[in-house]
Amino acid sequence: MSSSSAVSQTHFDAIVVGAGFAGMYMLHKLRGMGLSVRVYERGDGVGGTWYWNRYPGARCDLESMEYSYSFDKDLQQEWDWQEKYGTQPELLKYANHVADRFDLRRDIVFETRVTHAHYDARAVRWAVTTDGGDQVTATHLVMATGNLSTPQLPKIDGVADFAGRRFHTGDWPHGGVDFPGRRVGIIGTGSSAVQAIPKIAEQADQLTVFQRTANFSIPARHGPLDPSQREAHKARYDEIRSAAYETPFGIAKYGSPTQSAFDVSDAERQKIYEDAWALGGQALLFTFTDLLTDGAANETAAEFVRERIRETVKNPAVAELLCPKDHPIGTKRLCLDSFYYETYNRNNVNLVDVKTTAISRIEPHAVVVGDNVYEIDDLVLATGFDAMTGAARDIDIIGADGARLAERWAAGPQTYLGLMVADFPNMYLITGPQSPGVKSQMILSIEHHVDMIAAMIEKLRAEGLTTVAPEAQAQDAWVSENNTVAHMTLYPEAASWYMGANIPGKPRVFMPYVGGVKQYRATCQEVIDDNWRGFAFSDAG
Ligand code: NAP
């Protein structure tokens, strides 16, 4: 296998699509194995999610000391996170630091989108075409395309004709946006909006929030990271990283709860919730074993949060509108905020219910809801993404025997372990559907998958074989296992992006694996120990 990657080169051992945290580590890993690698990235820089999502208030909802790479001990020790939860600028700076430190940019082609990837069984190669006119081939194709990377415009009449400034949170202008003196409308109240709303409200003359579904949000209790805490964490980094793998969500800070919400008295439960609320972050969801499996247990936590909303928001009608009542808490991604509910006490903020009456249309200078016309200068779309499958479906991917990925996934994604797809030899997904990715500390799951992909490629090399692909039966069994596990929980009760419910016409299938990181990792290890059970390694050449 070659190790150089001159610009004129047209065949590579591996092509990686995307230079976010997944693509960057994949590149580093494969290069370390002596493979020639080219990465294509549609942005003009690295960082993926943290490159695109530059809206005001954007920050990670997992603490930086955990939400970071563990693959290089020196990197881990030398980088000093400044804040408890990484801000978008800090995370992007970290991504750039990693790119510099490991000299990654020389193998990344920026501002280039992969448009086609066709498998040639005779040549045992993927032929890849880009919008920049590149036509290259590779033995391995790695989709490091992210789970939340295809921003969605809402299907509302007139949205394309809005004449003022229009922004999507997932594709925010790089120079930033100023809102003083502006009348701003924002559609959406998911995680992105919950972070952006307090910041925009501080600047804008007037902010109108169009809310379809009220979401549960918990105070992040964000703040600077105390250097002594940081150093104490670093001193135990290995131990903490290992502990994370033993937890349901891959987050060491939140271990497995041990008791049911009904094992304790009402007063004890209240105290446990109050302590979790005071701690902030996702802690509340980790208080009891049955919050995501038992409706009654879940309701105790949900009502606790509704009470906090009613306490915080002064106008009772607005408070009630902000209280989520149509899904169990945690079944849509729990939002983390800094002064979200408090923002509705400001005179310049107006909440409009667009569930009872949907947005009728968008006019060049207004959002129209029934008979009400809300005039605005700027429209912010915090309307989410075609999650988990959108990015892969945007590329015309054809595997063996003319199998089209878009068609294979027409009724919902089908993968083996979220890593590979039957009939798509040597094509790998990093944190694909039916893996814990989005239900875990993402970087930990990325590292796990990158290491597994590297191990598969190494096995091919060591045994003189050329292709690996999952067996159809193993894939069917995994899809079925994924569904069984999901339906043992409350998750499918919410119309969430986990279910594909945010995209009109998308099949309603629960996509992430929710059996937990610990269980998933154990399953993967069993598969590996059983000589990669369910994966067919062969010498197709
Ligand atoms: P989202 O959770 O999908 O929220 C989209 C919002 O837009 C929802 O409130 C949705 O309402 C609303 N919406 C969509 N179409 C609409 C329409 N036609 N009319 C009215 N409302 C409409 O998207 P997001 O907030 O960008 O977050 C996506 C995910 O990204 C999060 O769940 C999280 O995993 C990740 N994220 C993480 C962070 C963080 O780490 N702090 C920050 C931001 C995002 P419905 O709910 O009724 O569909």
Side-chain angles (χ1 to χ4, degrees):
M1 288 177 176
S2 53
S3 60
S4 75
S5 62
V7 175
S8 58
Q9 190 177 342
T10 56
H11 179 74
F12 299 86
D13 295 324
I15 284 178
V16 177
V17 189
F21 282 101
M24 288 165 64
Y25 178 41
M26 191 81 247
L27 167 60
H28 175 67
K29 184 87 187 181
L30 295 180
R31 224 160 56 176
M33 291 162 63
L35 271 65
S36 62
V37 188
R38 173 168 285 181
V39 180
Y40 285 108
E41 164 57 50
R42 69 189 164 99
D44 70 2
V46 297
T49 287
W50 304 108
Y51 171 93
W52 297 103
N53 289 264
R54 301 178 187 227
Y55 58 85
R59 70 170 78 244
C60 188
D61 57 7
L62 295 174
E63 294 184 25
S64 329
M65 294 303 294
E66 294 215 42
Y67 185 85
S68 47
Y69 286 124
S70 70
F71 72 83
D72 187 282
K73 304 245 180 299
D74 292 338
L75 168 68
Q76 183 168 266
Q77 289 297 329
E78 77 199 12
W79 183 264
D80 285 336
W81 293 105
Q82 298 301 310
E83 305 197 33
K84 185 172 167 185
Y85 296 94
T87 59
Q88 177 274 329
E90 195 179 15
L91 283 154
L92 189 57
K93 197 168 155 199
Y94 174 69
N96 278 293
H97 169 74
V98 173
D100 291 339
R101 193 184 191 288
F102 298 101
D103 188 20
L104 299 181
R105 284 192 189 80
R106 68 183 154 90
D107 288 324
I108 306 176
V109 179
F110 291 103
E111 296 183 88
T112 305
R113 189 188 282 267
V114 170
T115 54
H116 300 77
H118 295 179
Y119 183 65
D120 177 344
R122 277 199 329 151
V124 194
R125 284 179 173 191
W126 281 92
V128 170
T129 310
T130 73
D131 64 355
D134 283 15
Q135 295 198 330
V136 291
T137 56
T139 310
H140 303 280
L141 174 67
V142 185
M143 305 301 293
T145 39
N147 284 290
L148 294 158
S149 47
T150 316
Q152 281 306 293
L153 288 189
K155 305 262 181 295
I156 301 173
D157 282 350
V159 67
D161 305 324
F162 183 70
R165 301 189 301 177
R166 191 187 78 189
F167 312 103
H168 192 289
T169 49
D171 189 8
W172 199 261
H174 288 192
V177 179
D178 289 329
F179 291 105
R182 315 285 293 181
R183 295 166 304 171
V184 183
I186 180 165
I187 300 178
T189 47
S191 300
S192 303
V194 158
Q195 292 184 329
I197 284 167
K199 293 288 176 195
I200 297 175
E202 282 171 11
Q203 286 191 24
D205 260 18
Q206 212 184 311
L207 176 63
T208 306
V209 180
F210 299 93
Q211 172 186 272
R212 187 164 66 186
T213 305
N215 262 310
F216 290 98
S217 187
I218 307 285
R221 310 274 179 227
H222 177 64
L225 192 55
D226 180 339
S228 64
Q229 263 182 318
R230 187 170 60 218
E231 292 315 308
H233 194 115
K234 280 187 184 179
R236 294 177 47 236
Y237 235 144
D238 286 353
E239 186 193 325
I240 295 170
R241 299 285 196 193
S242 304
Y245 274 120
E246 297 301 311
T247 67
F249 293 86
I251 306 166
K253 181 171 179 180
Y254 304 125
S256 304
T258 54
Q259 56 185 351
S260 153
F262 299 116
D263 284 343
V264 296
S265 69
D266 290 354
E268 284 168 323
R269 192 186 314 114
Q270 180 73 10
K271 171 81 172 69
I272 288 170
Y273 286 150
E274 278 168 9
D275 290 349
W277 183 264
L279 192 63
Q282 312 265 355
L284 194 98
L285 272 191
F286 296 85
T287 46
F288 297 110
T289 49
D290 43 2
L291 292 186
L292 291 167
T293 52
D294 180 284
N298 185 285
E299 181 56 23
T300 63
E303 189 52 23
F304 174 85
V305 174
R306 288 186 208 112
E307 281 303 318
R308 305 287 77 70
I309 298 171
R310 292 178 186 118
E311 256 171 30
T312 309
V313 179
K314 292 189 182 132
N315 180 326
V318 174
E320 222 39 52
L321 201 51
L322 287 166
C323 283
K325 295 185 188 113
D326 64 357
H327 62 279
I329 186 168
T331 55
K332 285 187 144 200
R333 173 75 172 217
L334 193 62
C335 302
L336 255 57
D337 71 89
S338 295
F339 310 109
Y340 175 63
Y341 294 116
E342 290 82 347
T343 298
Y344 291 93
N345 294 330
R346 298 176 66 108
N347 291 331
N348 66 334
V349 177
N350 181 23
L351 180 65
V352 176
D353 171 21
V354 297
K355 192 176 202 95
T356 317
T357 307
I359 297 173
S360 324
R361 63 185 181 281
I362 291 171
E363 295 183 344
H365 300 285
V367 175
V368 182
V369 183
D371 295 336
N372 296 315
V373 177
Y374 299 90
E375 293 201 346
I376 53 171
D377 305 309
D378 299 329
L379 178 63
V380 176
L381 301 172
T383 45
F385 304 87
D386 184 354
M388 306 201 69
T389 53
R393 276 202 325 225
D394 268 359
I395 303 170
D396 181 35
I397 301 177
I398 302 180
D401 300 324
R404 265 210 151 77
L405 189 69
E407 285 166 14
R408 288 293 175 92
W409 284 9
Q414 308 217 341
T415 74
Y416 184 40
L417 297 172
L419 263 173
M420 292 195 87
V421 184
D423 295 327
F424 293 80
N426 296 3
M427 184 187 89
Y428 314 85
L429 312 171
I430 303 183
T431 67
Q434 291 142 0
S435 79
V438 295
K439 292 303 302 166
S440 72
Q441 198 275 80
M442 205 64 207
I443 298 182
L444 167 140
S445 287
I446 284 170
E447 290 187 325
H448 181 215
H449 271 190
V450 167
D451 291 348
M452 282 186 74
I453 293 165
M456 282 191 268
I457 294 175
E458 190 53 54
K459 179 175 161 66
L460 287 171
R461 214 159 52 157
E463 298 179 10
L465 300 172
T466 53
T467 63
V468 55
E471 292 159 1
Q473 249 183 339
Q475 176 168 292
D476 291 348
W478 182 250
V479 172
S480 162
E481 165 79 2
N482 201 73
N483 290 333
T484 304
V485 171
H487 287 278
M488 286 161 65
T489 71
L490 302 173
Y491 282 109
E493 291 186 20
S496 64
W497 58 258
Y498 300 139
M499 285 292 284
N502 63 326
I503 305 292
K506 191 167 173 176
R508 302 274 174 122
V509 176
F510 194 81
M511 293 184 283
Y513 173 73
V514 284
V517 164
K518 182 180 179 182
Q519 179 57 46
Y520 176 78
R521 200 171 155 80
T523 303
C524 290
Q525 197 54 52
E526 272 171 35
V527 164
I528 296 168
D529 293 345
D530 196 8
N531 196 22
W532 293 87
R533 185 181 65 231
F535 289 99
F537 289 78
S538 63
D539 184 8

